[in-house]
Amino acid sequence: MSIQTTVLENGQWITRNMNPLDLIRAQNRGSQRNDQSLPSPPVPSPVKAPFLGLLTRTLVRSSVTKWIIPARIRHRDKNDVLFITTNSVTIKEAAGDYTLTDVIMKDDFDSPIRSARILGSPRHLTGPDKYDNKDDPNLEDAEMDIEMDDEGLTSAIPLHGRELPPHIAVLALESNKLVFLFAVSGVSELPKLLCSQKEFPAATSSLDQLGEHTAVDPKSRAMAVAAVEGRVYLYALKSMREMREELEMTSNIQPIKEEMPLPIDGTILKMEFLHPPENDLGQIILLFVVSKNRRSKLVWYQWNDRNTLHQSHITPTAQGLPQDQQLPLLLIPLTMLTAFMLVRETQILVYRNILTGTPNRFLHHLSAVQDPEEPGSSKRDPVWVSWARPMRSKRAAYRFSKDCIFLFREDGIVQLLDIDIDVDHIVDTKHSAGKLRTNIDTSIAILDLGSKKVDLLVAGGDMSDGGIWRLGPRKDPEYIANISNWTPLNDFVPSNAPLERRKKIGNGAMTNDIGKGQQRIFACTGRGKHGAISELRYGVQASLKSSTIEIGDLVKSGVMAIWALQGSFKVPPQQVTEQRTDDIIYVLFSHPTRTSVLRVWRSTIGEIQQEDRPDLIHTDIGLDLDARTIAVGMIREGLTIQVTETSIRAMSLPAGKDEESSLNYVYHFADARVVAACVHSPSERSFILAAIQKEENYYLQLGQYNAGYKLLTEPLRLHSHPSCVSLQTLENRVLALVGTVAGTLQIFIADDFGSNLHKAGEYTFNGPFAICDSVAMLTSIREGEMSSRHLIVCGLRNGSVQTLYMNGAGFSWHLDLFEELIIGHTSVKVTTDVTKRDRAIIHCEETMCTLEYPKPKFAQAPAIVSNIWITDPGEPALQHGYLSAITQFVDPWLPRDNPGLAAGSLVCVSGESLHFVDLNLQPQMVPRSLQIAGSPIRVIYSKQLDKLVVLHTKLTIQRSRTSNELYSQIGQRSLEPRIGFLEPNSEDLMITNQRENDEIMASERKPGEKFLGITEWFPRIHEKVYHMLVVNTMLSRASKPVGRLLFFALGPNIGHCPKLTVKKRLELEAPVYCVTPYPEKSLIYSCGDDLCMQTLVADHFGIKWQPPIKAAMRSPARHLTIAEPHIYVSSTRESLSVFRYEDDKIVYQFGDQSARNGMHHVNLPEQSLVLASNMNSTVVGLWYPPQRRIDNAMTTVFEAVLPGSITRFQYITRPVWYRDASSNDGNQARTHLPAQGDEAIIGSSADGTITQFDILDKGWRLLRFIQNMAERNPIICPFVTFDPFKRHIEPSTTRPHHMHINGDILQRMLERGGEDLLREMLDKEPDPERRYTDFDTAEARWARFRELAMEVVDMEGEAWLERVLLWIRCRLRNPL
């Protein structure tokens, strides 16, 4: 018998196995030594744990939508839709082309949303309804006369003034608060969200916490909020007129005017208000479905709105449900006779006349129930999860006798119910509305687009993508667009695979490596037939608006630049009042020696008209096709200006099929050649700037077009070859920017729109090939009445983008470098986004992205660069080709605030194809989904194969044949494991030789065996490296579960798929939960509660396995990593344990001193730190000392409580433009922005949330100081869940959770005020009744703030606070 103990040897504490007698003797010797006063061996002084902070920021919010609610929450003429997730509300606007546009998001609730409803005016299709306004003062303003276009769809109406919208969102938060949310819009159309909140009474347990159920009266006179059981609070609401007056007086509203608790005996299953009877519209009826003692019953309360709640003497009435109708799935109020429906799997129970004492009850069977869409995915049949009322059925002529309901099943089946009280059967259930072919849940809605013929259905997916469908009578749902959902996110892996995009040449195909410097992330998402490997891409979505146009012949001759223009109407701009029925778009291609023109016909919905296919124009339409085009533009008169190397032409391109083009004017350059030019039409005047070459001299000349070209200034001689020119309007002056091959950017000013050009400034770029080839000016910021500051974005020939400050006034301007970003290796094209003037569009080689600077002040903000991803609703796996040229066009014919159909669209040349795409305004997640028709388990990226290796399962049903039918309805369900090899740039799993691999996998699987993971292994035996895949499994048995390790060798490719061969099977006595390689020929794996190491050895008899080395653990491991010789283990009962392999033993070294349910971890050896997550939504930083302690404990240096558990950590590489300048292939980017490092740590949650983690050794006290102040500010944290005045502002180092910085709060501070808001927090004096715990004066806060800021920025000068904010913004940059 031996025991393990810690002993001190040679000044180090180590673990030894000792006999108990030896231990007693050692203790006796120690006692004797003490008695003899012998000196004890020196004990090393302990090394203290460092003070580190953890900065977290939510990069991507969950894609799980809990509710989709149509509500005109901004204005009665704004067709809004609310997408409500667990912690955010996104307002989208439904447009007439069946698209949804993001408007604004609110995500500062700092608490999960438990339930949501809408109060206000009822929804109408086209106008007011007599029923809704009859004897109802609350709805007197419900007349929403919506302006219609020819197709009955809502048109955009400019908003003026500040008014209460028709609808208000009601949110019940888990933090025990009730929130009323709405938006007001002014002349600028920018919505401002307003909210008021009310605290719920405190709960004694989670079961009686209010907010689980929320219901609103159909006429918005009352609302109810209920707990899971036992408690309901009833609220009487103010009328819309009262709330409008309150908004005018106080700039906010408080809709509640009275409240009263209601007792409920039992668990509340459903709660709804019923529609009042026709003969008594003042009645309010609140209905519950309550369960107690395994029996369900109906409980309802009724009262009249003429009395207050306390005057009404509200008492309950109850009635039990039949035994076969227990636990209904849905409770649906009907619009007539106080009727409602209870929906079960195959039955509908209809109640009516509930106020008569004994309500009438009718039972109906669903006669058109369909088989499950995915048989075998569950032992139970799919259930009905939601319902919606078609908007097209809302006609007042039969409102009191008829109703219509859509039922939605979780597998996407849609059932239409016609309800007619005047017939005997009441409910007609024979109509099937079709299949959505996706999984759905409660997030579903019918939108109002003003059409009486079709409905627009929007649904969020449940473990699958959602979508938008058009529902017409007697037609299957027509799929329109996709709503991405990347949950559940089980596993993800970063890949350095180049982003190869296809470029078709003839019948063959070639690929171009355009992914330099960009890391890609692939994740396991979805379930069942909706399972996929999704590429998680973050950026600006560019949606295809038309079919692809093949332009192979044009590409072969080389494309130097393209322009896109619309045809010109031959009427003055002010007379264009009607929407166009079609568009003619002209795309000009500039070749080295000529110009080509492609004419494209598009309808109003953006589709290419089939009867008029795109065609190349060879006839004379006024354009010079025999010369290279330098610049193209459209002027306010509707004319197209073409500048070639030898001439300027003005012509009118036809806008209709019956119109003809006309050449208006031609100007020839005498003895000169144009090398650069631009056309600028800011107002009624149109300017043309040209850089010309005469002999060996270069000149700059500014002209104006007004029924002809007229020089405004004498040609100004340039001292170097011009590389680009640009015109900008600056107050009443024209600003000319000229880049030269000498590496300079020169500024010229012409005052009064036409005087002589004056040189006003010059900037010299440093570095090889630092030549400005394109330039764009972003929206300027006023600093005072006499001075302005502007940002100039320059695209250089060496592949970089430099942003310059432009300071000055009059004829004196100075340029300073603010930031330099490395984009690629060749020339960068930069243009200003015509739809968003503070954003630039960048194109370089393979990269297309946007660049913008956050508001309100550019000086405090580094650039935000976002990739542009082209998507197609019909092709979720679309991988657009190599982009050789892009352009953007705008229609100057229509008013500037109401651009035409093609305004802001991008035209891209991708390979041999031409695309028209529309840009979103805000960056977001734009996933690319590769369907695998199975449930993905794990994904790894193999550098050896340059492929993704996917372990997934596919559901199969084996049915037996019978004599009466082809297949019986009863079959055997089987989950077949498969290993797929996926090209990162393909659109599906490889099928070449895949069948043979599937057969091998199926033959290896035992009945009931689950495949848990896959690992790539490269054992080295006798200098030979083998490539193998190791699969770990679990097999449930009656006695106890067991497991196996399966070893597959990768043979030569057949086609593009490696061939799998089974080499070894290890039968183990417990499930194998995780595996990781240990250099060079060993494996570490978790077998039950044991940590095992097994090694391959070779002798003259061959290669064989050594017996496993085991170490006992308290629980099975979830995740293993290796940093030789240490083994890091996250297990189910310990967040982290560290073992060491030495002397052919696995020895426990140290571990977390707190018992946590571990999930995943990532090792940071440079800081002796491990970042570990657990199932309690907590992330901790565990520090291990350089020498082992006697207690074997790791120190918790920080702790962060997050909204959800982190299931995976990964290192990712930042985009090339965000990396440190010294790492960009030697390109020294000169910038004063603080460095961040090339790598970032991100973590994923199962609900799709992606969080960034940044370990701070300095500056974290400053950030926590700011956060503690921000939590007291209602602008930044309006829904704080604790009393911040009872907390210290000074960051504490005694508690680990005080060393966590919430980057979301800091981001709000930057977005909602920046420097001004920070100054306000530092200067604001506390209320006398609520004194601060510390730093009670502004002087004390400023003094401490300066001390903390000195750690991260230079405090010299007056701009030190600006530098602090710049440092914070750099820390919060999105690394995706």
Side-chain angles (χ1 to χ4, degrees), residues 892-941:
W893 270 94
L894 296 181
R896 186 172 295 272
D897 295 333
N898 186 20
L901 169 69
S905 296
L906 277 178
V907 181
C908 309
V909 177
S910 174
E912 296 181 354
S913 302
L914 189 70
H915 300 299
F916 292 89
V917 297
D918 282 352
L919 286 182
N920 283 3
L921 292 180
Q922 299 298 329
Q924 60 185 359
M925 183 67 82
V926 189
R928 171 175 166 256
S929 181
L930 307 175
Q931 300 295 323
I932 61 174
S935 299
I937 301 174
R938 290 290 182 267
V939 58
I940 59 176
Y941 172 66

Side-chain angles (χ1 to χ4, degrees), residues 958 974-979 995-1007 1009 1011 1044 1046 1048 1060-1062 1065 1067:
Q958 299 177 355
S974 176
L975 288 174
E976 296 183 356
R978 297 185 177 181
I979 294 178
R995 183 183 299 274
E996 183 177 348
N997 287 342
D998 292 344
E999 292 175 354
I1000 293 174
M1001 294 293 296
S1003 64
E1004 284 301 317
R1005 176 183 177 271
K1006 294 182 178 182
E1009 188 174 23
F1011 285 46
R1044 293 196 301 165
L1046 302 178
F1048 296 91
L1060 295 177
T1061 305
V1062 181
R1065 307 172 187 88
E1067 305 286 341

Side-chain angles (χ1 to χ4, degrees), residues 325-338:
Q325 297 296 323
Q326 302 293 305
L327 304 177
L329 300 173
L330 299 173
L331 168 60
I332 305 176
L334 301 179
T335 57
M336 63 289 188
L337 301 178
T338 61

Side-chain angles (χ1 to χ4, degrees), residues 1040-1053:
K1040 67 173 184 177
V1042 296
R1044 293 196 301 165
L1045 285 176
L1046 302 178
F1047 296 84
F1048 296 91
L1050 296 175
N1053 289 2

Side-chain angles (χ1 to χ4, degrees), residues 825-1127:
H825 298 86
T826 60
S827 181
V828 180
K829 179 183 178 182
V830 177
T831 57
T832 303
D833 187 352
V834 298
T835 61
K836 194 176 181 183
R837 291 292 178 177
D838 60 349
R839 183 168 74 176
I841 298 176
I842 297 175
H843 178 221
C844 175
E845 302 169 351
E846 67 279 359
T847 303
M848 181 170 62
C849 55
T850 63
L851 181 147
E852 58 185 315
Y853 287 86
K855 296 179 180 179
K857 289 187 177 180
F858 290 147
Q860 300 172 355
I864 297 176
V865 183
S866 303
N867 281 293
I868 296 177
W869 303 107
I870 297 179
T871 62
D872 186 352
E875 296 184 39
L878 175 67
Q879 183 83 338
H880 64 80
Y882 181 90
L883 300 177
S884 56
I886 65 170
T887 189
Q888 189 180 30
F889 58 96
V890 67
D891 183 1
W893 270 94
L894 296 181
R896 186 172 295 272
D897 295 333
N898 186 20
L901 169 69
S905 296
L906 277 178
V907 181
C908 309
V909 177
S910 174
E912 296 181 354
S913 302
L914 189 70
H915 300 299
F916 292 89
V917 297
D918 282 352
L919 286 182
N920 283 3
L921 292 180
Q922 299 298 329
Q924 60 185 359
M925 183 67 82
V926 189
R928 171 175 166 256
S929 181
L930 307 175
Q931 300 295 323
I932 61 174
S935 299
I937 301 174
R938 290 290 182 267
V939 58
I940 59 176
Y941 172 66
S942 173
K943 294 182 180 180
Q944 185 85 3
L945 302 174
D946 191 23
K947 291 180 176 61
L948 297 170
V949 184
V950 183
L951 176 66
H952 62 286
T953 59
K954 186 173 183 179
L955 176 66
T956 59
I957 304 295
Q958 299 177 355
R959 303 186 187 276
S960 60
R961 292 182 179 271
T962 64
S963 57
N964 298 328
E965 55 186 355
L966 181 61
Y967 291 98
S968 66
Q969 295 299 317
I970 300 177
Q972 185 177 2
R973 174 176 178 265
S974 176
L975 288 174
E976 296 183 356
R978 297 185 177 181
I979 294 178
F981 298 91
L982 179 65
E983 288 279 3
N985 304 290
S986 69
E987 297 183 359
D988 54 8
L989 284 176
M990 294 180 178
I991 57 175
T992 305
N993 197 43
Q994 188 65 43
R995 183 183 299 274
E996 183 177 348
N997 287 342
D998 292 344
E999 292 175 354
I1000 293 174
M1001 294 293 296
S1003 64
E1004 284 301 317
R1005 176 183 177 271
K1006 294 182 178 182
E1009 188 174 23
K1010 294 182 180 180
F1011 285 46
L1012 303 180
I1014 187 170
T1015 304
E1016 194 175 24
W1017 188 33
F1018 297 92
R1020 179 184 295 271
I1021 306 294
H1022 293 318
E1023 302 304 323
K1024 183 177 179 180
V1025 178
Y1026 297 86
H1027 189 188
M1028 306 189 76
L1029 295 178
V1030 184
V1031 176
N1032 53 294
T1033 74
M1034 177 179 68
L1035 178 60
S1036 299
R1037 290 182 175 176
S1039 57
K1040 67 173 184 177
V1042 296
R1044 293 196 301 165
L1045 285 176
L1046 302 178
F1047 296 84
F1048 296 91
L1050 296 175
N1053 289 2
I1054 301 180
H1056 296 283
C1057 181
K1059 182 181 178 180
L1060 295 177
T1061 305
V1062 181
K1063 288 296 184 181
K1064 181 68 177 178
R1065 307 172 187 88
L1066 285 182
E1067 305 286 341
L1068 302 173
E1069 57 186 11
V1072 183
Y1073 294 103
C1074 50
V1075 182
T1076 189
Y1078 189 93
E1080 289 182 339
K1081 49 188 176 183
S1082 301
L1083 280 179
I1084 302 289
Y1085 58 89
S1086 168
C1087 182
D1089 292 346
D1090 292 332
L1091 182 65
C1092 303
M1093 171 185 280
Q1094 207 150 5
T1095 305
L1096 283 176
V1097 294
D1099 54 21
H1100 59 278
F1101 294 106
I1103 301 175
K1104 62 181 180 180
W1105 287 100
Q1106 283 187 340
I1109 301 172
K1110 295 184 178 181
M1113 300 186 299
R1114 295 179 57 196
S1115 58
R1118 292 179 181 268
H1119 180 56
L1120 299 171
T1121 59
I1122 301 296
E1124 195 176 5
H1126 291 98
I1127 305 166

Side-chain angles (χ1 to χ4, degrees), residues 89-101:
V89 176
T90 302
I91 302 177
K92 299 176 182 281
E93 183 173 5
D97 59 351
Y98 307 109
T99 60
L100 297 178
T101 304

